[in-house]
Amino acid sequence: MLPILIRLLAMPKILKLTIMPREQQTPPSAPLKSTAQTIVGINKLLLLALSCIAIGTYLSVALSRISFPFAVEWVESNTFIQVVQILNGRPIYTYPSFDFIPTIYTPLYYYIVALFAKFTQQIMFSMRFVSLLASITIFVMIYKICRQRGMSRESSFVAIGLFAASYGVVGYWFDIGRVDTLFLAFLLVSYALTITQAKPDSLYGMLAGLTLFLSFATKQPALGVTPFIVGYLVVQKRWLKALWLSCSFLVAWTGFVFFMNITSDGWFWTYTFSIPATHPILWETLFNFWTLYILPKFSLLLIIPIFSILILFLQRSMDGISNLLLFLLFFFLPMTLVSMVTISKQWGYLNGLLPIVAALAIIGAESYDNIISTTLRPTCSRIVNHLLSVIPTMVLILQFLNLSYNVQNQIPSKTSWEAGYRTLATLQTLAGPMFIPTSPYLLYMINEQTHFHASSLGDIELAMKRSPTLKDVMEGYVANIRSYISSRNIKVAVLPEAKWFDYAFNAERGYHCESFSSEYRALTTLTGAVSYLDRVCYYTDDSAK
C-alpha cells in the first residue's frame, strides 16, 4: 500500500497541482469536496469511537483496583513504606537500617500521597488516587499540547486515545502507586506552558520552570529534559520566556537540593544521585530499544509521520516541515532519550516507556491531522484525496487494535481479594518479630513493626559493587542489616519465591520452612515482576549453628 501511494504522489500531474499557485488551480467541484468531507467525517468518528473505548477501558481498570488494599506491583510495597515513614514524622532520607531504607527517587510523590492519606486513612488508595489524577492530567495536557500546535479537536482527542490504548505497553503503569505518572504529568504541564503563545512571557516562563522543577522533584530524569525545553525557546527567539523559565527552575532546584541535603546530612544526594548514577546501563537493551519495545507495538503509527513529511515536502511547505522537525528535536527526542536510558538501566521495566509513548501519541495524531487536512484542499486528484482520507485512518485503526490487551488480567478478582485477607489472617496468627522482605506493608496492616523493602537494599548493594566510594560509605550499614537478619532475632520470616534470603532462613540455622499457601492461591502481583509469598520459616532450634 505504501509504495502505491508514493508512486501516485510522484505523478507529474499531481506534482504540478501541488506546487501550482492557488489562483491557477482548478477549483474542485462541489460533489468532490462533499465526498471528501464525508469520508473524513466517517473516519474521524471511527477513531473517536476507538479513543473513547481506550480511555474508558483504562479508567474502568483503574477504578476497579483503586481501593484494592494489596500491592498490584511488588514495589508498590516500598512506596507504601516511604509514606508510612512520612506519616510517622521520620526523615525520608537517612542512613540505611533494618527498620527503613529510602528509595532512589526524589520525594514529592510520597509527600503528596501522605497528604491525601492523612484524610483518607488509606495509604494504598491514596497512592493510586494520586496516580489516577496524574494520568487524567496527562490526558488533558496531551489534548492541550495538540491544540496549541494547531490540531483539530478530533485529532487532539485521538492523541489521548492512542496514549490510553498504550496502557498495556507501559506495563499497566498509569494508575499504580509509583512516581512515574506524576513525573510525566508535571513534565507535560511544563511543555504546554512552554509552547503556549499566551502572554506575558515572564509569567508563563516562570510557571513552566516551576512545573519542570516539580517534575524533577518527583523523578530525576526531568533534569535531562530541561536543556531541550530551554533550547526550544531560544530557537524560537523567545528570549524573555527562556530566561524566566531557566531562572525559576534553577532557583527552585538549587534551593530544594540545598535544603534536602542540609536536613538529611547529605543522604538525599547519596540516594537520588550517587546510587542511581552507578547502576549499569544494559547496552544490548539500549541498542535494541526500537526493535524490542517500539517497532513491535508502534510500527504502524510510525508510518503516519513519514507520510506527513512526504506530503509537506511535495507541497513545498517549508514552514510545516520546520515546525514538525523542531517539535521532533525538542520534544520527541528528549522524551525518547529519557525512555531509552530508563528502560536500559539494570532492573528497568516497561514503565520507562511512558515518555516516548506520550510523544508518539502526539506526533502520530498531529501527522494524521496534517494528512487529513490535505484532503480538503484543492491540490490533489480525486483518487489521491480518497487514498489520503482512508489509508491513514486504516493505519490508526490497526494501530489501536495492535495495542489491545487483556483487561481481566489487571482487575483484582474475588480470589485475589480473598487471598489478600487470608494472608493477613494468617500473619495475625504468627508470633514473634516477623520479616517479610518483599511485602513489609502487610505488617503495617496488622499493626506490627515494619522494616526495609528488599528492592531498596538491592539498589544499595548493586551500587556498592560498582563504586568503591559508595562501598566505603554503605558497607558498615549493610553489614549491620545482614547481621540482624542472620541473628535469629527474627522468629518468623515470610519469604518470596526468590531465594534472596535463604542464606539466613534454613534448617541448618534452626528454621523450619513450609509452604505459606499450599491449599489456596497465593496473593500475587498483577503487573511488573511476578511476586508472591511462597513460604514461611519459623525459628525452632536455639542450638542451631
Side-chain angles (χ1 to χ4, degrees):
M1 191 67 73
L2 177 58
I4 294 174
L5 180 56
I6 294 175
R7 285 198 294 271
L8 286 170
L9 289 173
M11 292 171 59
K13 180 179 177 181
I14 299 172
L15 281 172
K16 183 178 179 182
L17 285 170
T18 302
I19 63 177
M20 187 183 300
R22 186 172 296 275
E23 61 272 12
Q24 297 180 24
Q25 297 170 1
T26 304
S29 60
L32 174 60
K33 185 176 181 180
S34 176
T35 301
Q37 289 176 334
T38 301
I39 294 174
V40 170
I42 293 173
N43 292 338
K44 287 183 176 180
L45 285 176
L46 288 172
L47 293 176
L48 288 174
L50 288 172
S51 298
C52 288
I53 292 172
I55 296 169
T57 301
Y58 157 62
L59 291 176
S60 67
V61 174
L63 293 174
S64 71
R65 65 190 195 180
I66 191 172
S67 60
F68 186 61
F70 307 102
V72 299
E73 189 273 335
W74 80 292
V75 187
E76 270 194 325
S77 176
N78 203 358
T79 301
F80 191 107
I81 295 302
Q82 307 300 310
V83 176
V84 169
Q85 185 81 352
I86 294 172
L87 293 176
N88 288 336
R90 302 187 187 118
I92 197 173
Y93 297 104
T94 183
Y95 63 88
S97 66
F98 180 82
D99 291 335
F100 179 75
I101 301 177
T103 67
I104 57 173
Y105 301 114
T106 39
L108 183 59
Y109 174 79
Y110 307 123
Y111 280 102
I112 292 176
V113 171
L115 182 63
F116 278 92
K118 283 185 177 181
F119 293 97
T120 65
Q121 299 300 308
Q122 297 291 328
I123 296 177
M124 198 70 77
F125 171 84
S126 299
M127 288 160 49
R128 299 198 188 114
F129 182 69
V130 171
S131 293
L132 176 62
L133 290 181
S135 68
I136 294 173
T137 302
I138 291 173
F139 293 167
V140 174
M141 287 303 106
I142 287 176
Y143 183 87
K144 183 69 174 176
I145 291 170
C146 289
R147 292 291 291 155
Q148 287 175 338
R149 291 189 55 75
M151 294 166 57
S152 67
R153 291 183 176 86
E154 297 86 351
S155 296
S156 301
F157 190 78
V158 170
I160 300 175
L162 286 169
F163 181 76
S166 305
Y167 182 45
V169 175
V170 299
Y172 310 98
W173 218 261
F174 295 169
D175 60 316
I176 70 169
R178 299 285 300 275
V179 302
D180 307 270
T181 309
L182 186 63
F183 148 74
L184 182 59
F186 280 129
L187 185 58
L188 291 181
V189 171
S190 181
Y191 264 114
L193 291 168
T194 298
I195 68 175
T196 184
Q197 297 298 319
K199 302 294 182 179
D201 276 353
S202 57
L203 174 62
Y204 285 93
M206 180 181 67
L207 292 175
L210 291 177
T211 50
L212 184 58
F213 158 73
L214 293 177
S215 181
F216 161 79
T218 306
K219 194 178 181 183
Q220 300 93 307
L223 193 61
V225 179
T226 304
F228 290 91
I229 294 181
V230 176
Y232 175 82
L233 293 175
V234 171
V235 170
Q236 296 290 317
K237 297 182 179 180
R238 302 178 69 178
W239 313 109
L240 181 63
K241 192 168 190 177
L243 178 64
W244 275 94
L245 189 154
S246 302
C247 290
S248 60
F249 176 82
L250 286 173
V251 169
W253 184 88
T254 303
F256 173 75
V257 171
F258 179 79
F259 174 79
M260 294 301 295
N261 269 318
I262 290 296
T263 56
S264 67
D265 292 329
W267 286 109
F268 169 78
W269 188 270
T270 299
Y271 283 105
T272 60
F273 286 95
S274 300
I275 291 177
T278 65
H279 288 184
I281 290 178
L282 305 180
W283 293 105
E284 184 178 356
T285 302
L286 183 65
F287 292 143
N288 296 314
F289 174 80
W290 289 90
T291 55
L292 286 174
Y293 301 108
I294 304 303
L295 293 180
K297 285 296 183 180
F298 295 102
S299 55
L300 292 168
L301 186 62
L302 291 171
I303 294 173
I304 297 178
I306 297 173
F307 277 174
S308 178
I309 292 173
L310 177 62
I311 291 172
L312 290 172
F313 177 77
L314 292 175
Q315 291 177 331
R316 296 186 178 180
S317 176
M318 300 312 297
D319 288 342
I321 294 174
S322 175
N323 183 41
L324 182 58
L325 291 178
L326 280 176
F327 202 60
L328 289 172
L329 177 62
F330 292 106
F331 179 73
F332 184 75
L333 177 59
M335 301 290 262
T336 300
L337 292 175
V338 167
S339 287
M340 291 178 69
V341 173
T342 302
I343 205 168
S344 299
K345 284 276 192 175
Q346 187 161 329
W347 300 330
Y349 189 63
L350 297 175
N351 56 305
L353 296 176
L354 275 166
I356 191 174
V357 165
L360 282 170
I362 294 172
I363 296 295
E366 179 174 351
S367 299
Y368 173 78
D369 193 75
N370 290 338
I371 296 171
I372 291 301
S373 63
T374 301
T375 67
L376 301 178
R377 298 172 187 167
T379 58
C380 297
S381 66
R382 182 190 299 266
I383 186 172
V384 174
N385 252 328
H386 290 171
L387 286 172
L388 291 180
S389 299
V390 173
I391 292 177
T393 303
M394 293 303 299
V395 170
L396 280 186
I397 289 174
L398 292 174
Q399 178 63 73
F400 271 105
L401 295 176
N402 194 42
L403 294 172
S404 60
Y405 53 88
N406 188 340
V407 174
Q408 292 303 317
N409 288 343
Q410 294 304 311
I411 297 177
S413 64
K414 180 181 178 182
T415 304
S416 297
W417 283 81
E418 291 174 348
Y421 285 116
R422 189 182 303 114
T423 297
L424 292 181
T426 301
L427 292 176
Q428 287 176 323
T429 65
L430 304 177
M434 279 186 279
F435 179 52
I436 314 178
T438 57
S439 301
Y441 76 102
L442 294 173
L443 295 171
Y444 182 86
M445 295 179 71
I446 60 172
N447 297 316
E448 294 288 342
Q449 176 63 44
T450 60
H451 54 72
F452 75 92
H453 191 275
S455 64
S456 289
L457 181 60
D459 287 331
I460 293 175
E461 292 186 323
L462 178 60
M464 288 170 59
K465 292 177 182 178
R466 302 184 60 84
S467 170
T469 302
L470 282 175
K471 183 178 180 180
D472 291 340
V473 172
M474 294 292 190
E475 194 169 27
Y477 297 112
V478 172
N480 288 338
I481 295 171
R482 291 290 184 183
S483 176
Y484 185 83
I485 293 172
S486 302
S487 67
R488 300 187 183 88
N489 288 320
I490 297 171
K491 302 305 179 184
V492 179
V494 185
L495 303 178
E497 73 290 352
K499 310 301 182 183
W500 298 331
F501 298 94
D502 283 13
Y503 70 89
F505 305 102
N506 54 63
E508 291 183 357
R509 304 194 70 256
Y511 286 90
H512 169 71
C513 299
E514 60 186 43
S515 174
F516 184 69
S517 182
S518 57
E519 299 180 5
Y520 304 97
R521 178 184 172 184
L523 177 63
T524 307
T525 55
L526 301 179
T527 188
V530 175
S531 179
Y532 58 92
L533 300 179
D534 177 64
R535 58 203 181 282
V536 56
C537 298
Y538 307 92
Y539 185 64
T540 59
D541 187 2
D542 289 330
S543 63
K545 295 181 181 179

